[in-house]
Amino acid sequence: MAAQDRRVFLVLLGVPGAGKGTQAKLLEELLQIPQISTGDLFRYNLKNETELGLLAKSYMDRGDLVPDEVTIRMVEERLTREDCARGAIFDGFPRNLVQATALDAITEPLGGIALVPLIGLEDDDAMRRITGRRVCRSCGAVYHIDFNPPKQEGVCDVDGGELYQRDDDKPDTVRNRLYVYYKQTAPLVGYYYAKGLLAEVDGGLPIDEVQANLKAALQAKGLI
Ligand code: ADP
Ligand code: ADP
């Protein structure tokens, strides 16, 4: 493989609310590669009422996984965009072993997955984080009413957009999302550990400390 074909792929693992999206946005700047959030891609399609969005809606409303075939195809398409020429940070993908093996097949010819940071967080903390999460309707920036509040309540610091609570961030759906995580996504921790790719960081720390620990994990792997 020619050096210019080699890309850097990271997979962020962690329960819903662990801080994957928050940290992915910070890592984008550091590594100059884009975040690929399957949740954000589905929400974008939902907002624009595309066929994919309509299909995903019922699964997302329940907190269940959207079928693998659709999800994997969406990721493959996203990866053909020019901004992925040097790699990508996956946030919320893969979510089960079918998706993980598909991602291996996609990334192996391009140098493989470089590192899988696992952002660890207790379930009670995850519940608190998700139910207090607010998202900008226009740019997708993520806030928390207590832990990471915007300067002005209800208004995005970045672009002045309206902040809203995701429908699936209400307590009943959140419980199902945690259940789905343990049933389907948690086995990926062992999967990536066995491949020697896992780097666990404590997601219970403040945002900047989690970021510093992620940076240290990237440095230890020679990625920055
Ligand atoms: P969180 O990080 O809070 O769990 P996401 O934004 O990643 O939430 O996902 C929201 C919803 O989008 C999920 O509950 C699921 O319905 C759908 N979704 C996101 N990513 C995937 C995926 N990789 N496979 C299947 N469904 C997904
Ligand atoms: P995920 O993508 O894993 O579902 P998010 O990045 O959306 O998680 O974070 C979930 C919520 O927790 C958001 O409201 C975010 O502002 C907040 N949050 C993220 N990281 C931290 C942290 N280290 N400490 C406190 N709150 C955090």
Side-chain angles (χ1 to χ4, degrees), residues 14-23 91 129-130 132-134 142-145 147-148 166 177 203-208 210:
V15 289
K20 301 182 296 299
T22 302
Q23 294 301 331
D91 157 18
R129 289 219 186 146
I130 299 178
R133 172 162 57 190
R134 298 292 182 269
V142 177
Y143 299 86
H144 189 283
I145 49 172
F147 308 141
N148 183 25
R166 282 167 40 182
R177 282 163 55 205
L205 299 172
I207 293 173
D208 55 345
V210 178

Side-chain angles (χ1 to χ4, degrees), residues 32-119:
Q32 293 293 307
I33 53 176
Q35 167 198 26
I36 297 185
S37 157
T38 40
D40 285 351
L41 290 173
F42 285 130
R43 277 185 289 279
Y44 175 84
N45 277 279
L46 210 63
K47 191 168 140 192
N48 291 291
E49 296 181 355
T50 67
E51 207 176 310
L52 175 62
L54 295 175
L55 186 149
K57 184 175 173 10
S58 60
Y59 297 96
M60 294 176 81
D61 285 348
R62 287 194 301 271
D64 287 337
L65 296 186
V66 179
D68 292 331
E69 201 193 298
V70 180
T71 306
I72 292 164
R73 200 176 328 122
M74 178 176 77
V75 169
E76 277 173 333
E77 267 173 37
R78 177 65 186 83
L79 279 171
T80 62
R81 287 195 2 214
E82 213 172 301
D83 63 342
C84 299
R86 293 182 52 249
I89 304 159
F90 293 102
D91 157 18
F93 181 87
R95 282 275 228 283
N96 61 25
L97 285 166
V98 172
Q99 296 181 8
T101 40
L103 186 62
D104 282 345
I106 296 168
T107 54
E108 259 156 26
L110 304 166
I113 294 166
L115 193 69
V116 180
L118 167 65
I119 305 180

